[in-house]
Short mmCIF file of all heavy atoms in Angstrom, two decimals:
data_model
loop_
_atom_site.label_atom_id
_atom_site.label_comp_id
_atom_site.label_asym_id
_atom_site.label_seq_id
_atom_site.Cartn_x
_atom_site.Cartn_y
_atom_site.Cartn_z
N ASP D 1 30.67 46.23 19.07
CA ASP D 1 30.76 47.69 19.21
C ASP D 1 30.28 48.17 20.59
O ASP D 1 30.20 49.36 20.84
CB ASP D 1 30.00 48.40 18.10
CG ASP D 1 28.49 48.18 18.16
OD1 ASP D 1 28.01 47.46 19.06
OD2 ASP D 1 27.78 48.72 17.29
N GLY D 2 29.94 47.21 21.46
CA GLY D 2 29.50 47.54 22.81
C GLY D 2 28.00 47.60 23.00
O GLY D 2 27.53 47.75 24.12
N THR D 3 27.23 47.49 21.93
CA THR D 3 25.77 47.54 22.03
C THR D 3 25.25 46.30 22.74
O THR D 3 25.52 45.18 22.33
CB THR D 3 25.13 47.62 20.63
OG1 THR D 3 25.64 48.76 19.94
CG2 THR D 3 23.61 47.71 20.73
N ILE D 4 24.52 46.51 23.84
CA ILE D 4 23.89 45.40 24.56
C ILE D 4 22.53 45.16 23.93
O ILE D 4 21.69 46.07 23.89
CB ILE D 4 23.78 45.70 26.06
CG1 ILE D 4 25.18 45.88 26.66
CG2 ILE D 4 23.02 44.59 26.77
CD1 ILE D 4 25.20 46.36 28.09
N LEU D 5 22.32 43.96 23.43
CA LEU D 5 21.07 43.64 22.75
C LEU D 5 19.98 43.29 23.74
O LEU D 5 20.22 42.57 24.71
CB LEU D 5 21.28 42.46 21.79
CG LEU D 5 22.41 42.60 20.76
CD1 LEU D 5 22.48 41.36 19.88
CD2 LEU D 5 22.21 43.82 19.90
N LYS D 6 18.80 43.80 23.48
CA LYS D 6 17.62 43.42 24.25
C LYS D 6 16.88 42.35 23.46
O LYS D 6 16.79 42.43 22.24
CB LYS D 6 16.70 44.64 24.47
CG LYS D 6 17.32 45.69 25.34
CD LYS D 6 16.38 46.85 25.53
CE LYS D 6 17.04 47.92 26.37
NZ LYS D 6 16.20 49.11 26.48
N PRO D 7 16.34 41.33 24.15
CA PRO D 7 15.65 40.26 23.43
C PRO D 7 14.54 40.78 22.52
O PRO D 7 13.77 41.66 22.91
CB PRO D 7 15.08 39.38 24.55
CG PRO D 7 15.96 39.64 25.72
CD PRO D 7 16.36 41.09 25.59
N ASN D 8 14.51 40.28 21.31
CA ASN D 8 13.51 40.54 20.28
C ASN D 8 13.54 41.95 19.70
O ASN D 8 12.69 42.29 18.90
CB ASN D 8 12.10 40.19 20.77
CG ASN D 8 11.17 39.90 19.61
OD1 ASN D 8 11.59 39.52 18.53
ND2 ASN D 8 9.89 40.10 19.81
N ASP D 9 14.49 42.78 20.09
CA ASP D 9 14.66 44.09 19.45
C ASP D 9 15.60 43.93 18.26
O ASP D 9 16.55 43.16 18.32
CB ASP D 9 15.25 45.12 20.42
CG ASP D 9 14.20 45.66 21.38
OD1 ASP D 9 13.03 45.26 21.28
OD2 ASP D 9 14.58 46.49 22.23
N ARG D 10 15.34 44.68 17.20
CA ARG D 10 16.18 44.62 16.00
C ARG D 10 17.29 45.67 16.09
O ARG D 10 17.04 46.81 16.48
CB ARG D 10 15.36 44.89 14.74
CG ARG D 10 14.38 43.81 14.43
CD ARG D 10 13.60 44.18 13.16
NE ARG D 10 12.39 43.42 13.08
CZ ARG D 10 12.29 42.23 12.50
NH1 ARG D 10 13.35 41.68 11.97
NH2 ARG D 10 11.15 41.58 12.47
N TYR D 11 18.48 45.25 15.68
CA TYR D 11 19.63 46.15 15.66
C TYR D 11 20.29 46.07 14.30
O TYR D 11 20.40 44.98 13.72
CB TYR D 11 20.64 45.74 16.75
CG TYR D 11 20.07 45.90 18.13
CD1 TYR D 11 19.35 44.86 18.73
CD2 TYR D 11 20.23 47.08 18.84
CE1 TYR D 11 18.81 45.00 19.99
CE2 TYR D 11 19.69 47.23 20.12
CZ TYR D 11 18.98 46.18 20.69
OH TYR D 11 18.45 46.33 21.93
N PRO D 12 20.75 47.21 13.76
CA PRO D 12 21.40 47.16 12.45
C PRO D 12 22.72 46.41 12.52
O PRO D 12 23.47 46.52 13.49
CB PRO D 12 21.63 48.64 12.12
CG PRO D 12 21.56 49.36 13.41
CD PRO D 12 20.69 48.55 14.32
N LEU D 13 22.96 45.63 11.50
CA LEU D 13 24.22 44.90 11.36
C LEU D 13 25.02 45.64 10.30
O LEU D 13 24.66 45.62 9.12
CB LEU D 13 23.92 43.45 10.95
CG LEU D 13 25.04 42.45 11.07
CD1 LEU D 13 25.60 42.41 12.49
CD2 LEU D 13 24.55 41.08 10.67
N THR D 14 26.07 46.31 10.70
CA THR D 14 26.79 47.20 9.79
C THR D 14 28.06 46.58 9.21
O THR D 14 28.66 47.17 8.32
CB THR D 14 27.17 48.51 10.52
OG1 THR D 14 27.96 48.19 11.67
CG2 THR D 14 25.92 49.26 10.95
N LYS D 15 28.47 45.43 9.72
CA LYS D 15 29.69 44.79 9.23
C LYS D 15 29.38 43.35 8.81
O LYS D 15 28.48 42.73 9.36
CB LYS D 15 30.76 44.76 10.32
CG LYS D 15 31.16 46.13 10.82
CD LYS D 15 32.30 46.06 11.81
CE LYS D 15 31.83 45.59 13.17
NZ LYS D 15 32.85 45.60 14.19
N GLU D 16 30.17 42.84 7.88
CA GLU D 16 30.00 41.45 7.46
C GLU D 16 30.78 40.49 8.35
O GLU D 16 30.48 39.31 8.42
CB GLU D 16 30.40 41.29 5.99
CG GLU D 16 29.43 41.98 5.07
CD GLU D 16 29.71 41.71 3.61
OE1 GLU D 16 30.34 40.69 3.28
OE2 GLU D 16 29.27 42.53 2.79
N VAL D 17 31.81 40.97 9.02
CA VAL D 17 32.56 40.18 9.98
C VAL D 17 32.36 40.86 11.33
O VAL D 17 32.70 42.03 11.50
CB VAL D 17 34.06 40.10 9.62
CG1 VAL D 17 34.84 39.34 10.67
CG2 VAL D 17 34.25 39.47 8.25
N PHE D 18 31.78 40.12 12.28
CA PHE D 18 31.46 40.73 13.56
C PHE D 18 31.54 39.68 14.66
O PHE D 18 31.60 38.48 14.39
CB PHE D 18 30.07 41.38 13.54
CG PHE D 18 28.95 40.42 13.20
CD1 PHE D 18 28.19 39.84 14.20
CD2 PHE D 18 28.67 40.11 11.87
CE1 PHE D 18 27.16 38.96 13.88
CE2 PHE D 18 27.64 39.24 11.55
CZ PHE D 18 26.88 38.67 12.55
N ARG D 19 31.54 40.14 15.88
CA ARG D 19 31.59 39.25 17.04
C ARG D 19 30.45 39.58 17.99
O ARG D 19 30.06 40.73 18.14
CB ARG D 19 32.92 39.38 17.77
CG ARG D 19 34.07 38.91 16.92
CD ARG D 19 35.38 39.08 17.59
NE ARG D 19 36.43 38.71 16.63
CZ ARG D 19 37.66 38.43 16.97
NH1 ARG D 19 38.03 38.48 18.23
NH2 ARG D 19 38.54 38.10 16.06
N LEU D 20 29.95 38.53 18.61
CA LEU D 20 28.93 38.66 19.65
C LEU D 20 29.52 38.08 20.93
O LEU D 20 30.31 37.14 20.88
CB LEU D 20 27.66 37.91 19.26
CG LEU D 20 27.00 38.35 17.96
CD1 LEU D 20 25.90 37.36 17.57
CD2 LEU D 20 26.42 39.74 18.11
N TYR D 21 29.11 38.63 22.07
CA TYR D 21 29.61 38.16 23.35
C TYR D 21 28.42 37.82 24.24
O TYR D 21 27.64 38.71 24.59
CB TYR D 21 30.50 39.23 24.00
CG TYR D 21 31.71 39.56 23.16
CD1 TYR D 21 31.70 40.64 22.28
CD2 TYR D 21 32.85 38.76 23.21
CE1 TYR D 21 32.80 40.92 21.48
CE2 TYR D 21 33.96 39.04 22.42
CZ TYR D 21 33.92 40.12 21.56
OH TYR D 21 35.00 40.40 20.77
N TYR D 22 28.30 36.54 24.59
CA TYR D 22 27.23 36.10 25.48
C TYR D 22 27.80 35.94 26.88
O TYR D 22 28.80 35.23 27.08
CB TYR D 22 26.63 34.77 25.01
CG TYR D 22 25.60 34.26 25.96
CD1 TYR D 22 24.32 34.82 25.99
CD2 TYR D 22 25.89 33.26 26.88
CE1 TYR D 22 23.38 34.40 26.90
CE2 TYR D 22 24.95 32.82 27.79
CZ TYR D 22 23.70 33.39 27.79
OH TYR D 22 22.76 32.96 28.71
N THR D 23 27.18 36.60 27.86
CA THR D 23 27.61 36.49 29.25
C THR D 23 26.53 35.76 30.05
O THR D 23 25.37 36.19 30.08
CB THR D 23 27.86 37.89 29.87
OG1 THR D 23 28.85 38.55 29.07
CG2 THR D 23 28.36 37.77 31.29
N SER D 24 26.93 34.67 30.69
CA SER D 24 26.00 33.86 31.48
C SER D 24 25.63 34.59 32.77
O SER D 24 26.48 35.19 33.43
CB SER D 24 26.66 32.52 31.83
OG SER D 24 25.89 31.82 32.76
#
């Protein structure tokens, strides 16, 4: 959904099927 995760912060997971994108 475009949310950039910060390490160790909790974010709600609203879907059972989802994708994460890791950028090196």
Side-chain angles (χ1 to χ4, degrees):
D1 66 0
T3 303
I4 298 172
L5 306 180
K6 294 181 182 175
N8 204 25
D9 282 359
R10 292 179 199 271
Y11 295 88
L13 194 56
T14 58
K15 300 185 284 185
E16 291 186 23
V17 177
F18 58 98
R19 295 178 185 198
L20 301 170
Y21 299 95
Y22 176 77
T23 302
S24 171

